[in-house]
Amino acid sequence: MAELHLSLPEDDQKRVSKLPVMDGTLGPSVVDIRSLYAQTGYFTYDPGFTSTASCSSKITYIDGDNGVLLYRGYPIEQLAEKCDFLEVCYLLLNGELPNGAEMKEFVTTISKHVMVHEQLTRFYSGFRRDAHPMAVLVGVVGALSAFYHDGTDVTCREDRYTAAIRLIAKMPNIVAMCHKYSTGMPFIYPKRKLGYAENFMRMMMGDPCDEYVPNPILIRAIDRILILHADHEQNASTSTVRLAGSSGANPYACVAAGIACLWGAAHGGANEAVLNMLEEIGDASNIPEYVAKAKDKNDPFRLMGFGHRVYKNYDPRAKLMRQTCHEVLDELNLHNDRMFKLAMELERIALEDPYFVERKLYPNVDFYSGIVLRALGIPTEMFTAIFALARSVGWIAQWDEMISDPELKIGRPRQLYQGVPQRDVQPISSR
């Protein structure tokens, strides 16, 4: 095993001569610093954990410099082109793509769990009608732990798998009910004979007075959005789920914590922020003014949906989402819609402007997914909830992997304290 030799300041008598270097199958090697404090009395300082590997994982790999995203070794482009979302769910949970018999059994198992407990539907009435769907989603998913607590032993592999199945099966229903509740429309029960994405769209957009007629192109668009957002390595919400789960907490409570983290505009709220930005720009004629504002470091305006913290090149998901975006716009004949014309013109300018090209600020997956969701008639405030629906399988797969890890320890980050040194309390009369 390779080792890193570290020298400390000359006036410090402690030395660390051996820090093991661990190699992964892909990506940079890591320095194992678990013994650092014991040997030296030092911690590391890494705000945001951007240089720290918090875990070992076999699920997802990202190479941001080269625009690579792999689920269990498979490129995201191939999965989005050749698989549906439930195949990807099976892959993330089990490590391999299913064959025909395995897929049939998996779909049957999912279909048995699509209904939610009728008492759970009453939770919605406790929220204001105008509550943000993510606020409702946090509460309702967290409430699943009240229905499935005693029967969920996190140390039991079968119980963990059942929890994963329940979550994947019920999330479309739960998310769709968030939308129906906000609009005053009745909840629509799922149909087991329908596919996953089709069932979700029917529950979201259907009307009990009329038969829902699915459009294959639009259903495929939703399915692709779900695939592209199913997992993304150790991002903020996934790390939140893992940290919550490290204490042995109920898995549904852990996922609710991930949903709360995802809600932030810097994370899952990015595609919602794209639409809000487009509304602010208003018209294609205003784009030059806003592009100039985006280039001005002293101006608070930022172009949302361009560039990515992880991908220093092109977001591999964006190419697929761009293709899907144009398929949807063509199908719905929306290329002349004011908002979509604005988005396409903004895309064109950003791809040609040297300022954006030199900085590799290409449109990312959030830019295109927001446009697609709006074209499908889904309200902007529901965008992040649909992201949560997609990411649920990644969260639960990561949680399951963590719980089964023999090296599992409860999360306990350290800190660099820079507050007031120890002092004595004075009587109130002397303060």
Side-chain angles (χ1 to χ4, degrees):
M1 178 182 290
E3 295 174 342
L4 177 72
H5 293 252
L6 178 65
S7 297
L8 295 176
E10 292 297 326
D11 59 348
D12 195 316
Q13 297 302 310
K14 295 183 178 180
R15 292 287 186 272
V16 56
S17 58
K18 297 179 180 180
L19 285 178
V21 175
M22 304 171 67
D23 299 320
T25 53
L26 291 171
S29 300
V30 301
V31 179
D32 185 349
I33 62 169
R34 284 176 288 184
S35 64
L36 180 65
Y37 179 69
Q39 294 186 48
T40 70
Y42 284 85
F43 295 137
T44 58
Y45 183 65
D46 184 21
F49 308 110
T50 56
S51 298
T52 300
S54 62
C55 65
S56 171
S57 180
K58 298 178 180 179
I59 299 174
T60 303
Y61 172 74
I62 296 172
D63 180 347
D65 292 334
N66 294 305
V68 173
L69 172 60
L70 308 177
Y71 290 171
R72 300 284 191 180
Y74 292 105
I76 189 64
E77 300 92 330
Q78 295 182 25
L79 292 170
E81 290 284 356
K82 299 178 180 180
C83 300
D84 66 21
F85 180 63
L86 283 185
E87 286 179 85
V88 172
C89 288
Y90 186 98
L91 171 68
L92 292 174
L93 290 177
N94 298 289
E96 299 292 342
L97 285 168
N99 59 32
E102 290 167 337
M103 190 60 192
K104 182 177 180 180
E105 180 182 359
F106 185 68
V107 170
T108 300
T109 304
I110 291 288
S111 69
K112 290 178 180 178
H113 291 273
V114 293
M115 292 292 291
V116 299
H117 197 290
E118 193 65 20
Q119 286 186 335
L120 191 72
T121 64
R122 301 173 193 168
F123 279 70
Y124 289 85
S125 61
F127 294 93
R128 286 172 51 117
R129 184 187 60 79
D130 58 353
H132 195 286
M134 288 296 284
V136 179
L137 200 58
V138 169
V140 175
V141 172
L144 287 174
S145 59
F147 290 84
Y148 307 109
H149 181 71
D150 293 339
T152 304
D153 179 359
V154 298
T155 65
C156 174
R157 169 63 178 145
E158 290 73 19
D159 280 9
R160 294 200 305 273
Y161 193 75
T162 298
I165 293 296
R166 282 175 177 152
L167 188 70
I168 295 167
K170 298 180 191 305
M171 277 298 287
N173 204 343
I174 291 171
V175 172
M177 287 193 291
C178 288
H179 171 60
K180 290 300 188 184
Y181 179 71
S182 69
T183 58
M185 295 288 289
F187 297 154
I188 295 180
Y189 290 103
K191 284 188 175 181
R192 290 192 171 94
K193 66 178 182 180
L194 299 181
Y196 194 87
E198 182 181 347
N199 219 346
F200 172 63
M201 284 298 287
R202 175 182 167 274
M203 291 187 291
M204 270 283 294
M205 311 304 291
D207 185 326
C209 296
D210 297 302
E211 186 68 25
Y212 177 74
V213 180
N215 182 316
I217 292 177
L218 306 188
I219 297 301
R220 179 58 179 156
I222 280 289
D223 194 70
R224 183 166 287 178
I225 286 175
L226 298 181
I227 291 173
L228 296 180
H229 291 84
D231 197 49
H232 208 236
E233 208 215 73
Q234 305 309 315
N235 53 80
S237 58
T238 299
S239 297
T240 298
V241 171
R242 278 182 170 264
L243 188 60
S246 71
S247 70
N250 183 284
Y252 307 105
C254 297
V255 170
I259 294 170
C261 180
L262 186 72
W263 192 356
H267 192 7
N271 52 13
E272 183 176 346
V274 169
L275 266 292
N276 292 333
M277 173 198 70
L278 293 174
E279 290 286 358
E280 180 180 348
I281 296 175
D283 189 82
S285 62
N286 297 326
I287 290 178
E289 173 191 349
Y290 279 88
V291 168
K293 287 163 66 70
K295 295 177 182 179
D296 185 353
K297 294 182 178 179
N298 297 318
D299 195 300
F301 176 78
R302 293 290 179 267
L303 282 180
M304 304 302 295
F306 292 84
H308 196 281
R309 181 181 180 182
V310 172
Y311 298 107
K312 306 308 178 186
N313 206 313
Y314 197 70
D315 182 343
R317 302 167 299 172
K319 180 180 179 181
L320 294 159
M321 206 66 251
R322 184 180 189 275
Q323 174 188 331
T324 301
C325 180
H326 285 278
E327 289 173 359
V328 169
L329 296 184
D330 288 341
E331 177 66 16
L332 299 177
N333 195 26
L334 286 173
H335 280 285
N336 290 322
D337 178 89
R338 176 186 63 85
M339 186 63 69
F340 299 120
K341 286 179 66 176
L342 166 60
M344 294 300 100
E345 178 64 11
L346 184 59
E347 175 202 44
R348 184 191 67 78
I349 290 175
L351 291 174
E352 295 177 357
D353 191 310
Y355 178 89
F356 295 100
V357 174
E358 291 169 6
R359 291 165 175 78
K360 298 182 178 179
L361 297 176
Y362 304 115
N364 59 35
V365 69
D366 298 309
F367 181 81
Y368 296 112
S369 62
I371 296 170
V372 170
L373 291 172
R374 185 180 188 275
L376 296 178
I378 295 173
T380 305
E381 60 271 16
M382 284 298 301
F383 289 4
T384 316
I386 293 174
F387 191 162
L389 162 60
R391 186 57 55 84
S392 293
V393 63
W395 287 331
I396 205 70
Q398 296 270 353
W399 168 84
D400 177 58
E401 180 183 62
M402 178 198 65
I403 294 295
S404 60
D405 188 344
E407 295 187 331
L408 171 63
K409 290 184 178 180
I410 186 171
R412 180 59 173 89
R414 299 292 189 166
Q415 67 171 15
L416 174 64
Y417 178 71
Q418 293 186 321
V420 178
Q422 182 173 328
R423 51 185 172 173
D424 296 323
V425 177
Q426 300 298 320
I428 192 169
S429 60
S430 302
R431 295 178 215 158

